[in-house]
Amino acid sequence: MSELADRSGVPIPTIKFYLREQLLPRGQLSSRTQASYDDSHLRRLRLVRSLVEVAGLRLEVVRRVLAAVDDEAMTRHDVLGRAHSSLSLSPTAPASSEDLDQVETSLEQWGWKLHDQSPLPAALAQALLALDSLGHPMSDEALEAYAKAAVAVASVDVSQLPVDRSDAVETAVVGTLLREPVLLILRRMAQEVRSGQSQGQ
Amino acid sequence: MSELADRSGVPIPTIKFYLREQLLPRGQLSSRTQASYDDSHLRRLRLVRSLVEVAGLRLEVVRRVLAAVDDEAMTRHDVLGRAHSSLSLSPTAPASSEDLDQVETSLEQWGWKLHDQSPLPAALAQALLALDSLGHPMSDEALEAYAKAAVAVASVDVSQLPVDRSDAVETAVVGTLLREPVLLILRRMAQEVRSGQSQGQ
DNA sequence: GACGATTGGATAGTGTTACTGTCTAATCTG
DNA sequence: CAGATTAGACAGTAACACTATCCAATCGTC
């Protein structure tokens, strides 16, 4: 255990806490006061820390995402969908059906077909509603430009998935969540660059 | 005050709390127990709620962002930079200079020139480092694809800024922060769509 | 002009999240 | 066999974002 702590840089009490919270599987008990942890534990521990620190997920969300990753019965595609479902902690405020309709119209227009129970359309409706209510609505053109950019990055993400199921699943989850900050930071950088170009008070 | 609470849907104790925390300017005192709040207060209150609920910012970060918005001495471009600086709460772990160098090489390649004290390169280095250390590094090609997509959305963002300074400042901040969820959700949607297309276990 | 409700302001308390510390008995190490 | 380490249970803490209570000073109304 102290080896696991040393190699991961995570303090022992925290590791114990993660074991309690089922974020980390227990090690193989070799006696009542001795368990052995292998590389898979180290790997999982690092994954948990990254999801928390880099992707900013709550532990409860991390637990659900990992459960999807660990579920051998799921295909790559299923895992992606369920990981996405796991990501909304609050039951996603029931956006008015009006906004939701508008979102669904756009999706149809773009030819995007999502899983029926996907929480994403409602989440999108909610995000757009917040913009509307602050007086900064997103035009259809702006939304479409965003959608095109989203397709571009998603193509890269999906095209690089490994063939093996469990590898693919982890890559998909890690890729989806830990590349989010990358995209956001690049966007902010690009804004600064563009804003500098169109300078003038 | 109760009118403000009614119109915004925010409970009175919370409004008082925001006043204490300097997230909301005090109203015009007409007597010792009466202050009047106008539309700017309502607007600001809604902005705070959106930044907290939609963009997921902490109150301390919201306070700093608003301070940048309110600082009349700053140009549109300055505000964007300072808002970005305000966003990192932790002092951004000092990414190894090696990773940082690599990031800066890419930026140069793309012709991106950022403000000297921008926290963004270090943040990017950190995000990439997390991916590396989990065994899922981002290739230069993938990063460039992300950068292109980022430019595309940033162009839309910047091109729509109003001319008036204070309008532009608010639009920039709101647009930067509250459109982030939109972009991320669209990306997840696009992943599901693409992943479904390349289905096959 | 009496009176219940409301206000601004200050202070204290609550619930949640993510740890961190302490304790115990068993076991391992030298 | 002495001292350190461990698994496991349980209690304590720090930060965050509210929420509740209290007070004296109005305000609105009858």
Side-chain angles (χ1 to χ4, degrees):
Chain A
M1 170 136 206
S2 47
E3 191 191 333
L4 190 60
D6 281 349
R7 292 222 273 159
S8 65
V10 178
I12 289 183
T14 304
I15 294 177
K16 287 185 170 187
F17 170 69
Y18 286 169
L19 288 169
R20 269 203 306 287
E21 295 292 309
Q22 320 229 50
L23 293 167
L24 200 60
R26 310 213 102 96
Q28 184 82 30
L29 271 181
S30 59
S31 75
R32 199 182 318 194
T33 65
Q34 204 77 359
S36 62
Y37 304 92
D38 58 18
D39 278 353
S40 76
H41 290 91
L42 181 58
R43 198 179 165 71
R44 173 57 57 97
L45 183 52
R46 283 211 256 251
L47 177 55
V48 171
R49 296 301 295 192
S50 295
L51 290 177
V52 169
E53 288 173 4
V54 180
L57 300 191
R58 296 205 211 166
L59 296 187
E60 191 188 327
V61 174
V62 171
R63 193 186 305 114
R64 290 206 301 252
V65 169
L66 293 179
V69 168
D70 288 340
D71 187 342
E72 300 279 341
M74 305 186 79
T75 65
R76 296 182 349 182
H77 186 59
D78 290 338
V79 168
L80 208 56
R82 202 169 114 197
H84 288 164
S85 303
S86 312
L87 290 175
S88 52
L89 192 49
S90 53
T92 318
S96 95
S97 64
E98 193 187 330
D99 306 301
L100 200 56
D101 283 352
Q102 207 183 332
V103 165
E104 270 162 6
T105 303
S106 294
L107 293 184
E108 238 170 86
Q109 229 168 47
W110 302 336
W112 288 16
K113 238 194 160 65
L114 298 178
H115 191 267
D116 283 342
Q117 282 119 41
S118 175
L120 296 175
L124 181 56
Q126 207 184 347
L128 293 176
L129 179 64
L131 283 164
D132 284 351
S133 75
L134 283 170
H136 298 282
M138 255 185 111
S139 66
D140 285 350
E141 296 78 47
L143 193 61
E144 203 174 332
Y146 270 58
K148 281 201 178 115
V151 168
V153 302
S155 301
V156 175
D157 294 333
V158 171
S159 74
Q160 294 183 346
L161 288 185
V163 178
D164 176 74
R165 181 207 155 269
S166 81
D167 284 354
V169 164
E170 202 195 287
T171 306
V173 170
V174 170
T176 298
L177 295 171
L178 295 184
R179 287 177 173 190
E180 287 188 353
V182 172
L183 181 57
L184 294 184
I185 291 166
L186 288 172
R187 172 172 174 252
R188 287 185 193 164
M189 285 179 169
Q191 281 182 358
E192 274 196 39
V193 171
R194 296 298 267 212
S195 151
Q197 283 167 5
S198 72
Q199 181 78 287
Q201 176 70 329
Chain B
M1 170 138 206
S2 47
E3 191 193 332
L4 190 60
D6 282 348
R7 293 221 274 157
S8 65
V10 177
I12 290 182
T14 304
I15 294 177
K16 286 186 169 186
F17 171 71
Y18 286 168
L19 288 169
R20 270 203 304 290
E21 295 292 308
Q22 321 229 47
L23 292 167
L24 199 60
R26 310 212 103 98
Q28 185 80 30
L29 272 180
S30 58
S31 75
R32 198 182 317 193
T33 65
Q34 205 75 359
S36 61
Y37 303 93
D38 58 19
D39 277 354
S40 77
H41 291 91
L42 181 58
R43 198 179 165 71
R44 172 58 57 96
L45 183 53
R46 284 211 255 253
L47 178 56
V48 170
R49 296 301 294 192
S50 296
L51 290 177
V52 168
E53 288 173 6
V54 181
L57 301 192
R58 295 204 209 167
L59 295 187
E60 191 189 328
V61 174
V62 172
R63 193 186 307 114
R64 289 206 302 251
V65 169
L66 293 179
V69 168
D70 288 339
D71 187 340
E72 299 279 342
M74 305 186 79
T75 65
R76 296 182 352 181
H77 185 60
D78 289 338
V79 168
L80 208 57
R82 201 168 117 197
H84 288 164
S85 303
S86 312
L87 290 175
S88 52
L89 193 50
S90 52
T92 316
S96 93
S97 64
E98 192 187 331
D99 305 300
L100 200 56
D101 283 352
Q102 206 183 333
V103 166
E104 270 162 6
T105 304
S106 295
L107 293 183
E108 238 170 87
Q109 232 169 43
W110 303 335
W112 288 16
K113 240 196 158 66
L114 299 177
H115 191 267
D116 283 343
Q117 283 120 39
S118 175
L120 296 174
L124 181 56
Q126 206 184 348
L128 292 175
L129 179 63
L131 282 163
D132 284 351
S133 74
L134 284 170
H136 299 281
M138 254 184 111
S139 67
D140 284 350
E141 295 80 47
L143 193 61
E144 205 175 329
Y146 270 58
K148 281 200 179 114
V151 168
V153 301
S155 301
V156 174
D157 294 333
V158 172
S159 75
Q160 295 183 344
L161 287 184
V163 177
D164 176 74
R165 182 207 156 269
S166 80
D167 285 354
V169 163
E170 203 196 286
T171 305
V173 170
V174 171
T176 298
L177 295 171
L178 295 185
R179 287 177 174 192
E180 287 187 353
V182 172
L183 181 56
L184 294 184
I185 290 166
L186 288 172
R187 173 173 173 250
R188 287 185 193 164
M189 286 180 169
Q191 282 182 357
E192 276 197 37
V193 171
R194 297 298 266 211
S195 153
Q197 282 166 5
S198 73
Q199 181 78 286
Q201 176 66 334

Short mmCIF file of all heavy atoms in Angstrom, two decimals, chain A residues 9-48:
data_model
loop_
_atom_site.label_atom_id
_atom_site.label_comp_id
_atom_site.label_asym_id
_atom_site.label_seq_id
_atom_site.Cartn_x
_atom_site.Cartn_y
_atom_site.Cartn_z
N GLY A 9 1.88 9.16 -5.70
CA GLY A 9 1.92 10.48 -5.09
C GLY A 9 0.66 10.82 -4.33
O GLY A 9 0.49 11.96 -3.88
N VAL A 10 -0.23 9.85 -4.19
CA VAL A 10 -1.47 10.08 -3.45
C VAL A 10 -1.28 9.58 -2.02
O VAL A 10 -0.81 8.47 -1.82
CB VAL A 10 -2.65 9.32 -4.10
CG1 VAL A 10 -3.93 9.50 -3.31
CG2 VAL A 10 -2.83 9.76 -5.54
N PRO A 11 -1.60 10.41 -1.02
CA PRO A 11 -1.39 10.00 0.38
C PRO A 11 -2.22 8.77 0.75
O PRO A 11 -3.34 8.59 0.26
CB PRO A 11 -1.82 11.22 1.18
CG PRO A 11 -2.47 12.17 0.23
CD PRO A 11 -2.09 11.78 -1.14
N ILE A 12 -1.68 7.97 1.67
CA ILE A 12 -2.34 6.73 2.08
C ILE A 12 -3.78 6.96 2.56
O ILE A 12 -4.67 6.22 2.14
CB ILE A 12 -1.50 6.02 3.17
CG1 ILE A 12 -0.23 5.45 2.52
CG2 ILE A 12 -2.29 4.91 3.84
CD1 ILE A 12 0.65 4.67 3.45
N PRO A 13 -4.05 7.94 3.40
CA PRO A 13 -5.44 8.12 3.84
C PRO A 13 -6.40 8.33 2.68
O PRO A 13 -7.54 7.88 2.72
CB PRO A 13 -5.37 9.36 4.74
CG PRO A 13 -3.97 9.42 5.20
CD PRO A 13 -3.13 8.86 4.10
N THR A 14 -5.92 9.00 1.67
CA THR A 14 -6.78 9.24 0.50
C THR A 14 -7.04 7.94 -0.25
O THR A 14 -8.16 7.68 -0.69
CB THR A 14 -6.13 10.28 -0.43
OG1 THR A 14 -5.87 11.46 0.31
CG2 THR A 14 -7.02 10.60 -1.60
N ILE A 15 -6.01 7.12 -0.35
CA ILE A 15 -6.19 5.82 -1.01
C ILE A 15 -7.21 4.99 -0.24
O ILE A 15 -8.13 4.39 -0.81
CB ILE A 15 -4.85 5.07 -1.12
CG1 ILE A 15 -3.90 5.83 -2.05
CG2 ILE A 15 -5.07 3.66 -1.61
CD1 ILE A 15 -2.53 5.21 -2.18
N LYS A 16 -7.08 5.00 1.07
CA LYS A 16 -8.06 4.27 1.89
C LYS A 16 -9.47 4.79 1.66
O LYS A 16 -10.43 4.04 1.57
CB LYS A 16 -7.70 4.39 3.37
CG LYS A 16 -6.49 3.59 3.79
CD LYS A 16 -6.30 3.69 5.30
CE LYS A 16 -5.24 2.71 5.79
NZ LYS A 16 -5.16 2.68 7.26
N PHE A 17 -9.55 6.09 1.58
CA PHE A 17 -10.84 6.72 1.33
C PHE A 17 -11.41 6.27 -0.02
O PHE A 17 -12.59 5.92 -0.12
CB PHE A 17 -10.67 8.23 1.37
CG PHE A 17 -11.86 9.02 0.90
CD1 PHE A 17 -13.03 9.05 1.66
CD2 PHE A 17 -11.81 9.71 -0.29
CE1 PHE A 17 -14.13 9.78 1.24
CE2 PHE A 17 -12.91 10.44 -0.72
CZ PHE A 17 -14.07 10.48 0.04
N TYR A 18 -10.59 6.23 -1.04
CA TYR A 18 -11.06 5.81 -2.36
C TYR A 18 -11.49 4.34 -2.34
O TYR A 18 -12.45 3.95 -3.00
CB TYR A 18 -9.96 6.00 -3.42
CG TYR A 18 -9.73 7.45 -3.81
CD1 TYR A 18 -8.64 7.81 -4.58
CD2 TYR A 18 -10.62 8.45 -3.44
CE1 TYR A 18 -8.41 9.13 -4.95
CE2 TYR A 18 -10.41 9.77 -3.81
CZ TYR A 18 -9.30 10.10 -4.56
OH TYR A 18 -9.08 11.41 -4.93
N LEU A 19 -10.79 3.51 -1.58
CA LEU A 19 -11.19 2.11 -1.45
C LEU A 19 -12.58 2.02 -0.82
O LEU A 19 -13.45 1.30 -1.30
CB LEU A 19 -10.18 1.34 -0.57
CG LEU A 19 -8.81 1.08 -1.19
CD1 LEU A 19 -7.84 0.57 -0.14
CD2 LEU A 19 -8.92 0.08 -2.33
N ARG A 20 -12.77 2.82 0.23
CA ARG A 20 -14.08 2.85 0.87
C ARG A 20 -15.17 3.28 -0.09
O ARG A 20 -16.27 2.75 -0.08
CB ARG A 20 -14.07 3.88 2.02
CG ARG A 20 -13.69 3.33 3.36
CD ARG A 20 -14.22 4.22 4.50
NE ARG A 20 -13.85 5.63 4.43
CZ ARG A 20 -12.63 6.11 4.68
NH1 ARG A 20 -11.63 5.30 4.96
NH2 ARG A 20 -12.41 7.41 4.64
N GLU A 21 -14.85 4.27 -0.90
CA GLU A 21 -15.84 4.85 -1.81
C GLU A 21 -15.99 4.05 -3.10
O GLU A 21 -16.65 4.50 -4.02
CB GLU A 21 -15.43 6.29 -2.16
CG GLU A 21 -15.44 7.23 -0.98
CD GLU A 21 -16.84 7.49 -0.46
OE1 GLU A 21 -17.70 7.85 -1.26
OE2 GLU A 21 -17.05 7.31 0.76
N GLN A 22 -15.34 2.92 -3.18
CA GLN A 22 -15.44 2.05 -4.35
C GLN A 22 -14.92 2.71 -5.62
O GLN A 22 -15.42 2.41 -6.71
CB GLN A 22 -16.89 1.64 -4.57
CG GLN A 22 -17.59 1.33 -3.27
CD GLN A 22 -18.33 0.01 -3.33
OE1 GLN A 22 -17.75 -1.00 -3.74
NE2 GLN A 22 -19.58 0.03 -2.94
N LEU A 23 -13.98 3.60 -5.47
CA LEU A 23 -13.39 4.21 -6.66
C LEU A 23 -12.18 3.40 -7.10
O LEU A 23 -11.71 3.54 -8.22
CB LEU A 23 -12.95 5.65 -6.35
CG LEU A 23 -14.11 6.59 -6.07
CD1 LEU A 23 -13.62 7.88 -5.46
CD2 LEU A 23 -14.86 6.88 -7.36
N LEU A 24 -11.72 2.58 -6.20
CA LEU A 24 -10.52 1.78 -6.43
C LEU A 24 -10.86 0.38 -5.91
O LEU A 24 -11.37 0.25 -4.79
CB LEU A 24 -9.38 2.40 -5.60
CG LEU A 24 -7.94 2.09 -5.93
CD1 LEU A 24 -7.60 2.52 -7.34
CD2 LEU A 24 -7.03 2.80 -4.94
N PRO A 25 -10.63 -0.66 -6.72
CA PRO A 25 -10.94 -2.01 -6.23
C PRO A 25 -9.96 -2.40 -5.12
O PRO A 25 -8.81 -1.93 -5.09
CB PRO A 25 -10.75 -2.89 -7.47
CG PRO A 25 -9.88 -2.12 -8.38
CD PRO A 25 -10.10 -0.66 -8.09
N ARG A 26 -10.42 -3.22 -4.22
CA ARG A 26 -9.53 -3.67 -3.14
C ARG A 26 -8.43 -4.54 -3.73
O ARG A 26 -8.64 -5.19 -4.76
CB ARG A 26 -10.33 -4.48 -2.12
CG ARG A 26 -11.60 -3.80 -1.63
CD ARG A 26 -11.88 -4.15 -0.18
NE ARG A 26 -11.50 -3.06 0.68
CZ ARG A 26 -12.35 -2.13 1.14
NH1 ARG A 26 -13.62 -2.15 0.80
NH2 ARG A 26 -11.93 -1.16 1.91
N GLY A 27 -7.31 -4.57 -3.07
CA GLY A 27 -6.21 -5.41 -3.52
C GLY A 27 -6.46 -6.87 -3.12
O GLY A 27 -7.40 -7.17 -2.38
N GLN A 28 -5.61 -7.76 -3.66
CA GLN A 28 -5.71 -9.18 -3.30
C GLN A 28 -5.24 -9.35 -1.86
O GLN A 28 -4.08 -9.08 -1.55
CB GLN A 28 -4.82 -9.99 -4.27
CG GLN A 28 -4.90 -11.48 -4.10
CD GLN A 28 -6.11 -12.05 -4.82
OE1 GLN A 28 -6.55 -11.51 -5.82
NE2 GLN A 28 -6.66 -13.13 -4.28
N LEU A 29 -6.13 -9.81 -1.01
CA LEU A 29 -5.75 -10.01 0.39
C LEU A 29 -4.87 -11.25 0.54
O LEU A 29 -5.29 -12.36 0.22
CB LEU A 29 -7.00 -10.18 1.26
CG LEU A 29 -7.64 -8.91 1.84
CD1 LEU A 29 -8.84 -9.28 2.69
CD2 LEU A 29 -6.64 -8.13 2.65
N SER A 30 -3.66 -11.05 1.02
CA SER A 30 -2.79 -12.21 1.22
C SER A 30 -2.81 -12.64 2.68
O SER A 30 -2.45 -13.76 3.03
CB SER A 30 -1.36 -11.87 0.78
OG SER A 30 -0.88 -10.77 1.53
N SER A 31 -3.24 -11.77 3.51
CA SER A 31 -3.49 -12.12 4.90
C SER A 31 -4.43 -11.04 5.42
O SER A 31 -4.82 -10.16 4.67
CB SER A 31 -2.21 -12.14 5.71
OG SER A 31 -1.80 -10.82 5.97
N ARG A 32 -4.77 -11.12 6.67
CA ARG A 32 -5.77 -10.15 7.09
C ARG A 32 -5.26 -8.71 7.12
O ARG A 32 -6.04 -7.76 7.10
CB ARG A 32 -6.33 -10.53 8.46
CG ARG A 32 -7.65 -9.80 8.60
CD ARG A 32 -8.39 -9.95 9.87
NE ARG A 32 -8.43 -11.29 10.42
CZ ARG A 32 -9.28 -11.58 11.39
NH1 ARG A 32 -10.13 -10.69 11.81
NH2 ARG A 32 -9.27 -12.78 11.93
N THR A 33 -3.99 -8.54 7.20
CA THR A 33 -3.48 -7.15 7.23
C THR A 33 -2.53 -6.86 6.08
O THR A 33 -1.68 -5.99 6.17
CB THR A 33 -2.74 -6.88 8.54
OG1 THR A 33 -1.59 -7.71 8.58
CG2 THR A 33 -3.60 -7.13 9.74
N GLN A 34 -2.69 -7.63 5.02
CA GLN A 34 -1.80 -7.41 3.90
C GLN A 34 -2.56 -7.64 2.59
O GLN A 34 -3.16 -8.68 2.40
CB GLN A 34 -0.61 -8.39 3.99
CG GLN A 34 0.61 -7.90 3.27
CD GLN A 34 1.35 -6.82 4.07
OE1 GLN A 34 0.92 -6.43 5.15
NE2 GLN A 34 2.44 -6.33 3.52
N ALA A 35 -2.52 -6.65 1.74
CA ALA A 35 -3.13 -6.81 0.42
C ALA A 35 -2.12 -6.35 -0.61
O ALA A 35 -1.27 -5.52 -0.32
CB ALA A 35 -4.40 -5.97 0.31
N SER A 36 -2.18 -6.95 -1.78
CA SER A 36 -1.22 -6.54 -2.81
C SER A 36 -1.95 -5.81 -3.93
O SER A 36 -3.04 -6.19 -4.34
CB SER A 36 -0.48 -7.76 -3.35
OG SER A 36 -1.39 -8.65 -3.96
N TYR A 37 -1.32 -4.74 -4.36
CA TYR A 37 -1.89 -3.91 -5.41
C TYR A 37 -0.98 -4.00 -6.62
O TYR A 37 0.24 -3.94 -6.48
CB TYR A 37 -1.99 -2.46 -4.92
CG TYR A 37 -2.79 -2.33 -3.63
CD1 TYR A 37 -2.17 -2.38 -2.39
CD2 TYR A 37 -4.17 -2.21 -3.68
CE1 TYR A 37 -2.91 -2.28 -1.22
CE2 TYR A 37 -4.92 -2.10 -2.51
CZ TYR A 37 -4.27 -2.14 -1.29
OH TYR A 37 -5.00 -2.05 -0.15
N ASP A 38 -1.57 -4.14 -7.79
CA ASP A 38 -0.75 -4.27 -8.98
C ASP A 38 -0.85 -3.02 -9.85
O ASP A 38 -1.39 -2.00 -9.43
CB ASP A 38 -1.13 -5.53 -9.76
CG ASP A 38 -2.59 -5.51 -10.18
OD1 ASP A 38 -3.18 -4.41 -10.16
OD2 ASP A 38 -3.14 -6.58 -10.49
N ASP A 39 -0.34 -3.15 -11.06
CA ASP A 39 -0.32 -2.01 -11.96
C ASP A 39 -1.72 -1.49 -12.30
O ASP A 39 -1.91 -0.30 -12.53
CB ASP A 39 0.41 -2.37 -13.27
CG ASP A 39 1.91 -2.26 -13.10
OD1 ASP A 39 2.33 -1.77 -12.03
OD2 ASP A 39 2.65 -2.64 -14.02
N SER A 40 -2.68 -2.41 -12.33
CA SER A 40 -4.03 -1.97 -12.67
C SER A 40 -4.56 -1.01 -11.61
O SER A 40 -5.30 -0.08 -11.90
CB SER A 40 -4.97 -3.17 -12.82
OG SER A 40 -5.32 -3.67 -11.56
N HIS A 41 -4.14 -1.26 -10.36
CA HIS A 41 -4.56 -0.35 -9.29
C HIS A 41 -3.91 1.01 -9.47
O HIS A 41 -4.56 2.05 -9.31
CB HIS A 41 -4.19 -0.94 -7.93
CG HIS A 41 -5.00 -2.13 -7.55
ND1 HIS A 41 -4.61 -3.40 -7.85
CD2 HIS A 41 -6.20 -2.25 -6.92
CE1 HIS A 41 -5.52 -4.26 -7.42
NE2 HIS A 41 -6.49 -3.60 -6.85
N LEU A 42 -2.64 0.99 -9.80
CA LEU A 42 -1.92 2.25 -9.99
C LEU A 42 -2.55 3.05 -11.13
O LEU A 42 -2.80 4.26 -11.01
CB LEU A 42 -0.45 1.94 -10.30
CG LEU A 42 0.46 3.16 -10.51
CD1 LEU A 42 0.44 4.05 -9.27
CD2 LEU A 42 1.89 2.71 -10.82
N ARG A 43 -2.85 2.31 -12.19
CA ARG A 43 -3.45 2.93 -13.37
C ARG A 43 -4.80 3.54 -13.03
O ARG A 43 -5.11 4.67 -13.40
CB ARG A 43 -3.62 1.82 -14.41
CG ARG A 43 -3.82 2.25 -15.80
CD ARG A 43 -3.94 1.00 -16.70
NE ARG A 43 -4.49 1.35 -17.98
CZ ARG A 43 -3.82 2.04 -18.89
NH1 ARG A 43 -2.57 2.44 -18.64
NH2 ARG A 43 -4.38 2.35 -20.04
N ARG A 44 -5.60 2.77 -12.32
CA ARG A 44 -6.93 3.24 -11.96
C ARG A 44 -6.85 4.46 -11.04
O ARG A 44 -7.60 5.42 -11.18
CB ARG A 44 -7.70 2.09 -11.27
CG ARG A 44 -9.04 2.46 -10.68
CD ARG A 44 -10.00 3.06 -11.67
NE ARG A 44 -10.30 2.25 -12.84
CZ ARG A 44 -11.36 1.48 -12.97
NH1 ARG A 44 -12.22 1.39 -11.98
NH2 ARG A 44 -11.56 0.80 -14.07
N LEU A 45 -5.90 4.39 -10.12
CA LEU A 45 -5.74 5.50 -9.19
C LEU A 45 -5.37 6.78 -9.93
O LEU A 45 -5.93 7.86 -9.67
CB LEU A 45 -4.65 5.14 -8.17
CG LEU A 45 -4.36 6.14 -7.06
CD1 LEU A 45 -5.64 6.54 -6.34
CD2 LEU A 45 -3.36 5.56 -6.07
N ARG A 46 -4.46 6.65 -10.89
CA ARG A 46 -4.07 7.83 -11.67
C ARG A 46 -5.25 8.34 -12.48
O ARG A 46 -5.43 9.55 -12.65
CB ARG A 46 -2.91 7.47 -12.60
CG ARG A 46 -1.59 7.40 -11.85
CD ARG A 46 -0.44 7.81 -12.77
NE ARG A 46 0.32 6.65 -13.22
CZ ARG A 46 1.55 6.35 -12.81
NH1 ARG A 46 2.15 7.12 -11.94
NH2 ARG A 46 2.17 5.30 -13.28
N LEU A 47 -6.08 7.41 -12.99
CA LEU A 47 -7.25 7.81 -13.76
C LEU A 47 -8.21 8.61 -12.89
O LEU A 47 -8.71 9.67 -13.29
CB LEU A 47 -7.94 6.56 -14.33
CG LEU A 47 -9.24 6.80 -15.12
CD1 LEU A 47 -9.01 7.78 -16.26
CD2 LEU A 47 -9.77 5.47 -15.66
N VAL A 48 -8.45 8.12 -11.70
CA VAL A 48 -9.35 8.82 -10.78
C VAL A 48 -8.83 10.22 -10.52
O VAL A 48 -9.58 11.21 -10.62
CB VAL A 48 -9.49 8.06 -9.44
CG1 VAL A 48 -10.23 8.90 -8.42
CG2 VAL A 48 -10.22 6.74 -9.66
#
